């Protein structure tokens, strides 16, 4: 029998209740969810089941075959997802800006930040996305930028739409943008997601709800910033990414 949203909601509520009771009993906050969070069905099929493999010797040797990034690889237009084609993409134009910080609030400079997302109709420009929503010939949905000396980044893009997925019957993902952070080498890659404020789908999404700590979950949601909005052009959202420490942004470990 197919899983329904009610089934998933019940599982999420049980896990959330167990976490809340553990916290009330003195357990530490869990800023990262378990890798096999049951309501997110595919995590049970593809999360790592073996311990991490230690790298012996010079760790730099692991990175010799990986890509190398630098200023020459990132152009001035790579962070504007609305200017990559001959025409204007459809949808609500937005500016997403923030800072990449370490656990002490210090800027992390010169780091490659990549994004990918669905278009305004909630469809990815990917051959495996067969959602019956229109593709936009003027929107590919990928971009990148290097952080500045103050750790800042900025993207101009289109607000993505919600889309269905096959976790359970009538499953819908809230609007979100995927972020990838590369550090100084390919082996340091971290991946996370940014959400938009007041999305009505938040309570129904087992991926977001897998972050059972409320404060950690809120750190994944951008805030509207009117000062970032550009007159007659775009609405502005601010989202800082913290790499470590008690205020760290959730990272998709093992997913």
């Amino acid at each position: 029998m197919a899983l329904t949203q009610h089934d998933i909601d019940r599982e999420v509520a049980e896990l959330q209740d167990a976490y809340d009771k553990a916290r009330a009993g003195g357990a530490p906050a869990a800023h990262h969810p378990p890798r096999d969070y049951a309501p997110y069905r595919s995590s049970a099929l593809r999360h790592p089941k073996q311990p991490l493999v230690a790298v012996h010797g010079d760790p730099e040797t692991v990175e010799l075959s990986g890509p190398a990034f630098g200023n020459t690889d990132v152009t001035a237009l790579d962070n504007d997802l609305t200017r990559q084609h001959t025409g204007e993409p459809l949808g609500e134009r937005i500016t997403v800006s923030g800072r990449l910080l370490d656990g002490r609030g210090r800027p992390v400079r010169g780091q490659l930040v990549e994004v990918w997302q669905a278009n305004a109709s909630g469809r990815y420009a990917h051959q495996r996305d067969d959602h019956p929503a229109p593709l936009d010939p003027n929107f590919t949905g990928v971009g990148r930028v290097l952080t500045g000396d103050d750790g800042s980044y900025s993207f101009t893009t289109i607000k993505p739409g919600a889309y269905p997925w096959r976790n359970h019957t009538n499953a819908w993902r809230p609007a979100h943008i995927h972020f990838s952070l590369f550090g100084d080498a390919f082996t340091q890659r971290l991946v996370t997601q940014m959400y938009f404020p007041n999305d009505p789908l938040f309570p129904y999404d087992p991926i977001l709800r897998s972050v059972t700590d409320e404060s950690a979950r809120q750190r994944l949601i951008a805030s509207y910033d009117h000062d970032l909005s550009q007159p007659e052009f775009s609405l502005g959202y601010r989202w800082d990414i913290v790499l470590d420490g008690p205020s760290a942004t959730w990272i998709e470990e093992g997913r």
Side-chain angles (χ1 to χ4, degrees), residues 51-233:
L52 297 176
V53 177
V55 176
H56 301 288
D58 184 2
E60 294 294 328
T61 59
V62 179
E63 301 168 359
L64 292 178
S65 60
F69 302 105
N71 289 290
T72 58
D73 299 303
V74 181
T75 74
L77 295 179
D78 284 353
N79 68 330
D80 190 340
L81 283 67
T82 70
R83 299 176 62 187
Q84 297 173 346
H85 299 277
T86 56
E88 288 282 344
L90 298 174
E92 178 184 307
R93 190 185 291 109
I94 61 173
T95 299
V96 178
S97 298
R99 299 177 69 203
L100 183 61
L101 306 168
D102 67 13
R104 298 182 180 180
R106 298 173 299 190
V108 183
R109 307 173 179 87
Q111 306 302 294
L112 182 70
V113 181
E114 294 183 331
V115 295
W116 67 96
Q117 62 169 93
N119 65 20
S121 298
R123 187 167 179 184
Y124 288 95
H126 192 284
Q127 62 182 359
R128 294 185 62 183
D129 188 347
D130 56 2
H131 172 208
L135 288 169
D136 187 339
N138 293 312
F139 189 76
T140 304
V142 295
R144 59 182 182 166
V145 71
L146 291 171
T147 58
D149 288 341
D150 59 350
S152 63
Y153 73 87
S154 185
F155 289 96
T156 300
T157 185
I158 297 296
K159 187 175 181 180
Y163 60 82
W165 61 311
R166 297 184 176 92
N167 189 72
H168 54 276
T169 301
N170 203 22
W172 289 82
R173 295 236 52 219
H176 60 279
I177 298 176
H178 298 269
F179 275 72
S180 167
L181 314 167
F182 266 107
D184 295 321
F186 188 75
T187 53
Q188 298 173 0
R189 189 183 189 216
L190 301 175
V191 176
T192 186
Q193 298 179 23
M194 185 205 87
Y195 297 85
F196 294 86
N198 305 314
D199 194 310
L201 290 173
F202 284 163
Y204 307 105
D205 181 37
I207 294 181
L208 179 61
R209 293 301 303 272
S210 70
V211 185
T212 50
D213 189 81
E214 176 64 21
S215 60
R217 194 159 57 234
Q218 289 299 316
R219 292 197 291 272
L220 294 175
I221 303 171
S223 58
Y224 174 73
D225 189 333
H226 201 66
D227 290 336
L228 284 177
S229 297
Q230 301 181 38
E232 301 182 37
F233 183 76

